[in-house]
């Protein structure tokens, strides 16, 4: 790892699972007992806003019951100490990376502790329940919704992510299913630009074959070990 300067790290639900947050895709294709189609699409929001808002209210409240685990803390330590470029791109909508102290961070799928105005596009910090019809603090429209990138919507900051991948010497994927695009394609993009590629996962992902190296085990063990390796 001595020739590594610029790093992009992708994290998925697996890094937060050890903190007690359910992974997005379970064996039966449900998220905490709900079908994805019922809680994470624009059509679901239009069809049953009360259900969608309640679902994310419950997820937001759950955050108060969990804390960052050693994997989050190790990445925050890397963020503080790494002298080169570093970008942590998370598919997670929880705030555990921030609470661990990471700052070079992007939430490509949105954040539970944020509300988005469907009328003007303004996002505001939001920690309380968010009932349908809540008013935007910017334009006043009763159009606030969870600031979550639903299936069928464009993830945030794709241009910045692609720029970072183009400059990366190392791309690391941690706790991801390898099944949700565009994030699942980051490994191929990083490889195309010449980066080394490494996967840390509890089990092989759908994209494991694209990585030069896969290390299997709990994120709370693998991530601190990688950070120690990187920092020497």
């Amino acid at each position: 790892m001595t020739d590594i300067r610029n790093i992009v790290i992708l994290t998925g639900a697996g890094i937060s699972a050890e903190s007690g947050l359910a992974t997005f895709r379970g064996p039966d294709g449900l998220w905490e007992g709900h079908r994805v189609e019922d809680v994470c699409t624009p059509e679901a929001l239009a069809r049953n806003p009360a259900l969608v808002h309640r679902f994310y209210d419950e997820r937001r409240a759950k955050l108060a019951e969990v804390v960052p685990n050693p994997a989050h803390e190790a990445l925050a330590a890397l963020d503080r100490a790494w002298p080169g470029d570093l970008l942590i791109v998370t598919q997670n909508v929880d705030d555990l990376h921030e609470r661990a102290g990471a700052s070079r961070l992007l939430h490509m799928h949105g954040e539970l502790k944020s509300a988005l105005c469907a009328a003007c596009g303004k996002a505001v910090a939001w920690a309380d329940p968010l009932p349908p019809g809540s008013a935007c603090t910017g334009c006043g429209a009763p159009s606030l919704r969870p600031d979550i990138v639903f299936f069928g919507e464009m993830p945030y900051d794709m241009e910045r992510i692609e720029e970072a991948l183009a400059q990366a010497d190392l791309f690391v994927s941690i706790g991801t299913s390898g099944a949700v695009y565009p994030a699942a394609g980051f490994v191929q993009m990083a490889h195309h630009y010449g980066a080394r590629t490494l996967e840390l996962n509890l089990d092989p992902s759908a994209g494991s074959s694209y990585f030069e190296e896969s290390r299997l085990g709990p994120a709370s063990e693998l991530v601190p070990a990688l950070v120690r390796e990187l920092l020497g």
Side-chain angles (χ1 to χ4, degrees):
M1 295 290 183
T2 56
D3 58 339
I4 300 299
R5 177 163 179 80
N6 300 332
I7 304 174
V8 176
I9 297 174
L10 173 69
T11 68
I15 198 171
S16 294
E18 291 180 72
S19 290
L21 293 179
T23 56
F24 188 85
R25 292 172 175 269
D28 57 357
L30 304 181
W31 189 14
E32 302 233 341
H34 295 274
R35 296 191 312 155
V36 167
E37 294 84 354
D38 291 336
V39 294
C40 199
T41 64
E43 294 79 13
L45 182 63
R47 181 174 60 249
N48 194 341
L51 171 64
V52 173
H53 279 248
R54 184 170 67 250
F55 176 81
Y56 290 103
D57 283 350
E58 292 170 357
R59 306 284 75 72
R60 195 179 303 111
K62 178 70 174 177
L63 292 182
E65 303 173 10
V66 300
V67 296
N69 64 55
H72 298 105
E73 293 165 355
L75 290 184
L78 181 66
D79 187 1
R80 290 189 294 271
W82 189 250
D85 288 339
L86 173 71
L87 182 63
I88 301 170
V89 180
T90 186
Q91 296 173 276
N92 299 338
V93 296
D94 62 61
D95 63 346
L96 296 180
H97 281 303
E98 289 94 333
R99 284 159 59 187
S103 60
R104 290 186 272 184
L105 174 71
L106 291 179
H107 283 269
M108 66 178 294
H109 290 161
E111 302 177 60
L112 281 171
K113 288 190 171 181
S114 177
L116 178 69
C117 180
C120 73
K122 179 181 180 180
V124 295
W126 200 277
D128 300 317
L130 180 67
S134 296
C136 174
T137 58
C139 70
S143 303
L144 288 183
R145 52 162 274 188
D147 190 5
I148 303 295
V149 176
F150 293 151
F151 282 91
E153 297 179 332
M154 180 61 68
Y156 293 145
D157 296 304
M158 285 301 299
E159 183 175 345
R160 182 179 172 192
I161 294 169
E162 292 177 13
E163 289 174 353
L165 288 169
Q167 300 298 320
D169 301 305
L170 175 67
F171 170 70
V172 185
S173 176
I174 303 170
T176 70
S177 67
V180 178
Y181 283 84
F186 289 172
V187 58
Q188 293 160 287
M189 188 181 302
H191 179 75
H192 170 76
Y193 285 117
R196 295 171 61 178
T197 56
L198 170 64
E199 176 184 49
L200 309 181
N201 225 358
L202 189 60
D203 300 297
S205 72
S208 287
S209 62
Y210 295 115
F211 288 87
E212 296 174 57
E213 182 184 358
S214 291
R215 302 178 185 178
L216 301 182
S220 60
E221 297 176 7
L222 295 181
V223 177
L226 174 64
V227 170
R228 289 193 295 269
E229 183 181 351
L230 287 167
L231 295 179

